[in-house]
Amino acid sequence: MKHVVLFSGGIGSWATANRVQMAEGDELILLFTDTRIEDEDLYRFINDAAAECGGTFVRLADGRTPWELFFDEKFIGNTRVDICSRILKRDLARKWIEANCDPDDTTVYIGVDWSEVHRFERAVPRWLPYTLVAPRCDEPYLSKDDMLAMAESAGLRPPSVY
């Protein structure tokens, strides 16, 4: 069984990967979709966190930054339309998963938590026929401070953006 964690580099996606790694003994894949404009220290944390979690780390990039995407699409970026998340992250991840994973043998994990159940519920039908799971929507419920403390106790230095 493959367990693919959509691995953003945020503390929530690390906590998700950590929970999956501890609960599942099968193949763990950490799938990072790179927008090419993340903070340098976030890139450091992504690499450190992937090494700490184990499994296979896969880094994908469309090749464009959000600004290049806006130019190519003749689009003015805004918070109402998620063109960057869709093209530079979700579509790219979905394409890789479809090319490399059998839906009957793969679970996809997202890092949303109990306070964002609505995001998880919206995403479930988009990922069919894959099973989508959001482990942080289940107990134990962790705050951001809890997750940061867990990361530090695992020997990770959280990214400076926190």
Side-chain angles (χ1 to χ4, degrees), residues 110-113 116-124 126 132:
I110 60 174
V112 299
D113 69 16
E116 306 170 299
V117 171
H118 63 283
R119 290 181 61 205
F120 170 64
E121 291 169 347
R122 247 189 358 249
V124 169
R126 291 183 189 155
L132 185 69

Side-chain angles (χ1 to χ4, degrees), residues 26-39:
D26 300 323
E27 186 177 353
L28 176 65
I29 300 167
L30 306 173
L31 186 60
F32 170 54
T33 49
D34 189 355
T35 62
R36 300 184 51 231
I37 63 163
E38 303 295 345
D39 182 85

Side-chain angles (χ1 to χ4, degrees), residues 70-88:
F70 295 155
F71 181 82
D72 292 347
E73 297 293 320
K74 297 173 180 45
F75 183 83
I76 296 173
N78 63 75
T79 59
R80 299 182 114 196
V81 179
D82 67 345
I83 191 170
C84 290
S85 293
R86 182 175 50 82
I87 293 174
L88 299 181

Side-chain angles (χ1 to χ4, degrees), residues 1-7 16-22 24-31 49-50 52-58 107 109:
M1 183 75 162
K2 289 183 180 179
H3 301 277
V4 180
V5 176
L6 301 181
F7 199 64
T16 298
N18 179 270
R19 197 175 282 190
V20 171
Q21 184 259 353
M22 293 177 76
E24 307 295 341
D26 300 323
E27 186 177 353
L28 176 65
I29 300 167
L30 306 173
L31 186 60
E52 188 276 330
C53 285
T56 302
F57 179 59
V58 176
T107 302
Y109 299 85

Side-chain angles (χ1 to χ4, degrees), residues 120-142:
F120 170 64
E121 291 169 347
R122 247 189 358 249
V124 169
R126 291 183 189 155
W127 280 97
L128 292 173
Y130 294 90
T131 300
L132 185 69
V133 177
R136 293 185 325 107
C137 287
D138 300 325
E139 293 182 16
Y141 303 123
L142 301 173

